[in-house]
Amino acid sequence: MTKISDNLLLPCGVEIKNRFLKSAMTEGLANSDAIANERHNTLYNRWAKGGVGISVTGNVQVDHRYIERAGNVVIEGKQSNESLAALADWSKAGTQNNTHLWMQLSHAGRQTPFSINKESRAPSVQPLPTLGGVLKFGVPKELSKSEILNIIDQFVNAAEVAKQTGFTGVQLHSAHGYLLSEFLSPNVNQRTDEWGGSIENRSRLLITTIEAIRDKVGRNFPISIKLNSSDFQKGGFSHEESIEVAKILNNTSLDLLEISGGTYENFTALEIDSLNLKKAKTIKPQRSTKVREAYFLKYAEAIKEVISIPLAVTGGFRSTEGMNNALQSGACDVIGLGRPLCSEPNIVNELISGEKRSATLYENMLEFGPWILGLNSPISLMRSNNKAAQVYWCYRQILKIADGNEVDTKLGLFKAFLDHFRDDSANSKKYKAFWKDLD
Ligand SMILES: Cc1cc2nc3c(=O)[nH]c(=O)nc-3n(C[C@H](O)[C@H](O)[C@H](O)COP(=O)(O)O)c2cc1C
């Protein structure tokens, strides 16, 4: 009977000490130069000491023009000695305590914020609306074939740098509506060439990138991807297509498939209903009839049936009972955790030792009062914004840990929200001033 404390052997031959994966969480810690720094070391050292088997970094970008937010680390082209040394320090700090530290690699595609770049790149010209009244994005331009080939090279280069600087694996971010998942989506990818159309064509960028990375990093280096179980949007990447992609992935040398779901328009990854508020366009994920805390488990089970690659599921896991049940039922092999590690960085040690039987459910405790948004706000909007604001609450806790402080669980949601937007706006301006080629 598999349990959370059991080790796991990956197809590449690497052994992971337990069944916990710290899921990627954007840190926002880099200065405008987009180079890692001491704060990354402090943060990842704390998480390594906290007991996770695999720690996946927040998304590291492969192109400074198309990032997820200011504060991302960027690995693009040949790295300076300063950047290489910083990455080596980061990997050293994050691999303590026999922890694996995998770098998540990403290209933000059409989800590049407007405050960073007024023009983004995407498979086709399908702009994103402004979301939640505050999130505005660059206008997408269709990628040319040579630009697509260049993006593969950018991912390969970043993976090689990750390996060279001591990271023990990489993960491609192919979920949540960033570029690799945009290619998978029939809504966003309307190309008629070999990169669009059938699911084989739409998954070509992802599959080619995995294989190109494998060629360079060798057989023993873990490669993972994060994939949506569905975009949960009408006309988007569906659950049936996700199963088809899983079958295709089975023929690659992938070591771990992490399952999530949703995009910015429908932030299912965090069980946020919809930021777009056009509910007609979105589909709510179905939970299993059995009471289960992890909300993608039902989808993961169907994927597990068609693959032999180890499977991680992320989203909602909180109790040892829920986690062990999922492992024992064979629904997944690895438990992904995000938000709990922002408020309780030591939670994995505590769950494994039995000191705690569940992470604290801060996401159910943090609420704006209705007075904050105005009494006329529709209840659904308030709920949606409340949950979205919890992400900013997590961002602020990440900053605290990175500065060597204790987390502040009494931090108000509204203050976290305001402080984040103040800092993000200032950081975006500084980033644009530093990188002179952004619009
Ligand atoms: C603060 C924060 C930052 C995140 N950043 C990323 C990211 O950079 N890459 C990614 O794949 N997912 C990101 N996510 C999603 C998480 O990896 C995870 O899928 C999600 O939080 C659901 O897991 P949980 O219920 O354990 O929190 C982020 C989530 C949070 C809360």
Coordinates of all heavy atoms in Angstrom, one line a residue, residues 310-354:
P310 N 4.9 8.1 -14.3 CA 4.4 8.5 -13.0 C 3.6 9.8 -13.1 O 3.9 10.7 -13.9 CB 5.7 8.7 -12.2 CG 6.7 7.8 -12.8 CD 6.4 7.8 -14.3
L311 N 2.5 9.8 -12.3 CA 1.6 10.9 -12.4 C 1.5 11.7 -11.0 O 1.3 11.1 -10.0 CB 0.2 10.3 -12.7 CG -0.9 11.3 -13.1 CD1 -0.6 11.8 -14.5 CD2 -2.3 10.6 -13.1
A312 N 1.6 13.0 -11.1 CA 1.4 13.8 -10.0 C 0.0 14.6 -10.2 O -0.3 15.0 -11.3 CB 2.5 14.8 -9.8
V313 N -0.7 14.8 -9.1 CA -1.9 15.6 -9.2 C -1.8 16.8 -8.2 O -1.4 16.5 -7.0 CB -3.2 14.8 -8.9 CG1 -4.4 15.7 -8.9 CG2 -3.3 13.7 -9.9
T314 N -2.1 18.0 -8.7 CA -2.0 19.2 -7.8 C -3.3 19.9 -7.8 O -3.9 20.1 -8.9 CB -0.9 20.1 -8.4 OG1 0.3 19.3 -8.4 CG2 -0.7 21.3 -7.5
G315 N -3.7 20.3 -6.6 CA -4.9 21.2 -6.5 C -5.9 20.6 -5.4 O -6.6 19.6 -5.7
G316 N -5.8 21.2 -4.2 CA -6.7 20.9 -3.2 C -6.3 19.9 -2.2 O -6.9 19.7 -1.1
F317 N -5.2 19.1 -2.4 CA -4.8 18.1 -1.4 C -4.4 18.9 -0.1 O -3.6 19.8 -0.1 CB -3.5 17.4 -1.9 CG -3.8 16.2 -2.7 CD1 -3.3 16.1 -4.0 CD2 -4.6 15.1 -2.2 CE1 -3.5 15.0 -4.8 CE2 -4.8 14.0 -3.0 CZ -4.3 13.9 -4.3
R318 N -5.0 18.4 1.0 CA -4.7 19.0 2.3 C -4.4 18.0 3.4 O -3.7 18.2 4.3 CB -5.8 20.0 2.7 CG -6.1 21.1 1.8 CD -4.9 22.1 1.7 NE -5.1 23.2 0.8 CZ -4.6 23.2 -0.5 NH1 -3.9 22.2 -1.0 NH2 -4.9 24.3 -1.3
S319 N -5.1 16.8 3.4 CA -5.1 15.9 4.6 C -4.3 14.6 4.2 O -4.3 14.2 3.0 CB -6.5 15.5 5.0 OG -7.0 14.6 4.1
T320 N -3.6 14.1 5.2 CA -2.9 12.8 4.9 C -3.8 11.7 4.5 O -3.5 10.9 3.7 CB -2.1 12.3 6.2 OG1 -2.8 12.8 7.4 CG2 -0.7 12.8 6.2
E321 N -5.0 11.8 5.0 CA -6.0 10.8 4.7 C -6.3 10.9 3.2 O -6.3 9.9 2.4 CB -7.3 10.9 5.5 CG -8.2 9.7 5.4 CD -9.6 10.0 6.0 OE1 -9.8 11.1 6.5 OE2 -10.4 9.1 5.9
G322 N -6.6 12.1 2.7 CA -6.9 12.3 1.3 C -5.8 11.9 0.4 O -5.9 11.3 -0.7
M323 N -4.6 12.3 0.9 CA -3.4 12.0 0.1 C -3.1 10.5 0.0 O -2.9 9.9 -1.1 CB -2.2 12.7 0.7 CG -2.3 14.2 0.7 SD -1.0 14.9 1.7 CE -1.5 16.6 1.8
N324 N -3.1 9.8 1.1 CA -2.9 8.4 1.1 C -3.9 7.6 0.4 O -3.6 6.6 -0.3 CB -2.7 7.8 2.6 CG -1.3 8.1 3.1 OD1 -0.4 8.1 2.4 ND2 -1.3 8.4 4.4
N325 N -5.2 8.1 0.5 CA -6.3 7.4 -0.3 C -6.0 7.5 -1.8 O -6.2 6.5 -2.5 CB -7.6 8.1 0.0 CG -8.2 7.6 1.3 OD1 -7.7 6.6 1.9 ND2 -9.2 8.3 1.8
A326 N -5.6 8.7 -2.2 CA -5.3 8.9 -3.6 C -4.2 8.0 -4.1 O -4.2 7.4 -5.2 CB -5.0 10.4 -3.9
L327 N -3.1 7.9 -3.3 CA -2.0 7.0 -3.6 C -2.4 5.6 -3.6 O -2.1 4.8 -4.6 CB -0.8 7.2 -2.7 CG -0.1 8.6 -2.7 CD1 0.9 8.7 -1.5 CD2 0.5 8.9 -4.0
Q328 N -3.2 5.2 -2.6 CA -3.5 3.8 -2.5 C -4.5 3.3 -3.5 O -4.5 2.2 -4.0 CB -4.0 3.5 -1.1 CG -2.9 3.4 -0.1 CD -3.2 3.6 1.3 OE1 -4.4 3.6 1.7 NE2 -2.2 3.9 2.2
S329 N -5.4 4.2 -4.0 CA -6.4 3.9 -5.0 C -5.7 3.8 -6.4 O -6.3 3.4 -7.4 CB -7.5 4.9 -5.1 OG -7.0 6.1 -5.6
G330 N -4.4 4.3 -6.5 CA -3.7 4.2 -7.7 C -4.1 5.4 -8.6 O -3.7 5.4 -9.8
A331 N -4.8 6.4 -8.1 CA -5.2 7.5 -9.0 C -4.0 8.4 -9.3 O -3.9 9.0 -10.4 CB -6.2 8.4 -8.2
C332 N -3.0 8.4 -8.4 CA -1.8 9.1 -8.7 C -0.6 8.6 -7.9 O -0.8 7.8 -7.0 CB -1.9 10.6 -8.4 SG -2.2 11.0 -6.7
D333 N 0.6 9.0 -8.3 CA 1.8 8.5 -7.6 C 2.5 9.6 -6.8 O 3.3 9.3 -5.9 CB 2.9 8.1 -8.7 CG 2.3 7.1 -9.7 OD1 2.0 6.0 -9.3 OD2 2.0 7.5 -10.9
V334 N 2.1 10.8 -7.1 CA 2.8 12.0 -6.4 C 1.7 13.0 -6.0 O 0.8 13.2 -6.8 CB 3.9 12.6 -7.3 CG1 4.5 13.8 -6.7 CG2 5.0 11.6 -7.6
I335 N 1.9 13.6 -4.8 CA 0.9 14.6 -4.3 C 1.5 16.0 -4.5 O 2.6 16.3 -3.9 CB 0.7 14.4 -2.8 CG1 0.2 13.0 -2.5 CG2 -0.3 15.4 -2.3 CD1 -1.1 12.6 -3.1
G336 N 0.9 16.8 -5.4 CA 1.4 18.2 -5.6 C 0.8 19.1 -4.5 O -0.4 19.0 -4.2
L337 N 1.6 20.0 -4.0 CA 1.1 21.0 -3.0 C 1.6 22.4 -3.4 O 2.7 22.6 -3.7 CB 1.7 20.7 -1.6 CG 1.1 19.6 -0.8 CD1 1.7 19.6 0.6 CD2 -0.4 19.7 -0.6
G338 N 0.7 23.3 -3.4 CA 1.0 24.7 -3.6 C 0.8 25.6 -2.4 O 1.7 25.7 -1.6
R339 N -0.4 26.1 -2.3 CA -0.8 27.1 -1.3 C -0.4 26.7 0.2 O 0.1 27.6 0.9 CB -2.2 27.5 -1.3 CG -2.6 28.4 -2.5 CD -4.0 28.4 -2.8 NE -4.5 27.2 -3.4 CZ -5.8 26.9 -3.8 NH1 -6.7 27.9 -3.7 NH2 -6.1 25.8 -4.3
P340 N -0.5 25.5 0.6 CA -0.2 25.1 2.0 C 1.3 25.5 2.3 O 1.6 25.8 3.4 CB -0.4 23.6 2.0 CG -1.5 23.4 1.0 CD -1.2 24.3 -0.1
L341 N 2.2 25.4 1.3 CA 3.6 25.6 1.5 C 3.9 27.1 1.7 O 5.0 27.5 2.1 CB 4.4 25.0 0.4 CG 4.4 23.5 0.5 CD1 4.8 22.8 -0.8 CD2 5.4 23.0 1.6
C342 N 2.9 28.0 1.3 CA 3.2 29.4 1.6 C 2.9 29.8 3.0 O 3.5 30.7 3.5 CB 2.3 30.2 0.6 SG 2.5 29.9 -1.1
S343 N 1.9 29.1 3.6 CA 1.6 29.5 5.0 C 2.2 28.5 6.0 O 2.4 28.9 7.2 CB 0.1 29.5 5.2 OG -0.5 28.4 4.5
E344 N 2.6 27.3 5.6 CA 3.2 26.3 6.5 C 4.3 25.6 5.7 O 4.2 24.5 5.2 CB 2.1 25.3 6.9 CG 1.0 25.9 7.7 CD -0.1 24.9 8.0 OE1 -0.7 24.3 7.1 OE2 -0.3 24.6 9.2
P345 N 5.5 26.3 5.6 CA 6.6 25.8 4.8 C 7.1 24.4 5.4 O 7.8 23.7 4.6 CB 7.6 26.9 4.9 CG 7.2 27.8 6.0 CD 5.8 27.7 6.2
N346 N 6.8 24.1 6.6 CA 7.3 22.8 7.2 C 6.2 21.7 7.1 O 6.4 20.7 7.7 CB 7.7 23.1 8.6 CG 8.6 22.1 9.2 OD1 9.5 21.6 8.5 ND2 8.4 21.7 10.4
I347 N 5.1 22.0 6.4 CA 3.9 21.1 6.5 C 4.2 19.6 6.1 O 3.7 18.7 6.7 CB 2.7 21.7 5.8 CG1 1.5 20.9 6.1 CG2 2.9 21.7 4.3 CD1 1.0 21.0 7.5
V348 N 5.1 19.4 5.1 CA 5.4 18.1 4.7 C 6.0 17.2 5.8 O 5.6 16.1 6.1 CB 6.2 18.1 3.4 CG1 6.7 16.7 3.1 CG2 5.4 18.6 2.2
N349 N 7.0 17.8 6.5 CA 7.6 17.1 7.6 C 6.5 16.7 8.6 O 6.5 15.6 9.2 CB 8.6 18.0 8.3 CG 9.9 18.1 7.6 OD1 10.3 17.1 6.8 ND2 10.7 19.1 7.8
E350 N 5.6 17.7 8.9 CA 4.6 17.5 9.9 C 3.6 16.4 9.5 O 3.1 15.7 10.3 CB 3.9 18.8 10.2 CG 4.9 19.8 10.9 CD 4.4 21.2 10.9 OE1 3.6 21.6 10.0 OE2 4.8 22.0 11.8
L351 N 3.3 16.4 8.2 CA 2.3 15.4 7.8 C 3.0 14.0 7.8 O 2.3 13.0 8.2 CB 1.8 15.7 6.3 CG 1.0 17.0 6.2 CD1 0.7 17.2 4.7 CD2 -0.3 16.9 7.0
I352 N 4.2 13.9 7.4 CA 4.9 12.6 7.3 C 5.1 12.1 8.7 O 4.9 10.9 9.0 CB 6.2 12.7 6.5 CG1 5.9 12.9 5.0 CG2 7.1 11.5 6.8 CD1 7.1 13.0 4.1
S353 N 5.5 13.0 9.7 CA 5.7 12.5 11.0 C 4.4 12.2 11.8 O 4.4 11.5 12.8 CB 6.5 13.6 11.8 OG 5.6 14.7 12.1
G354 N 3.3 12.7 11.3 CA 2.0 12.5 12.0 C 1.7 13.6 13.0 O 0.7 13.6 13.6

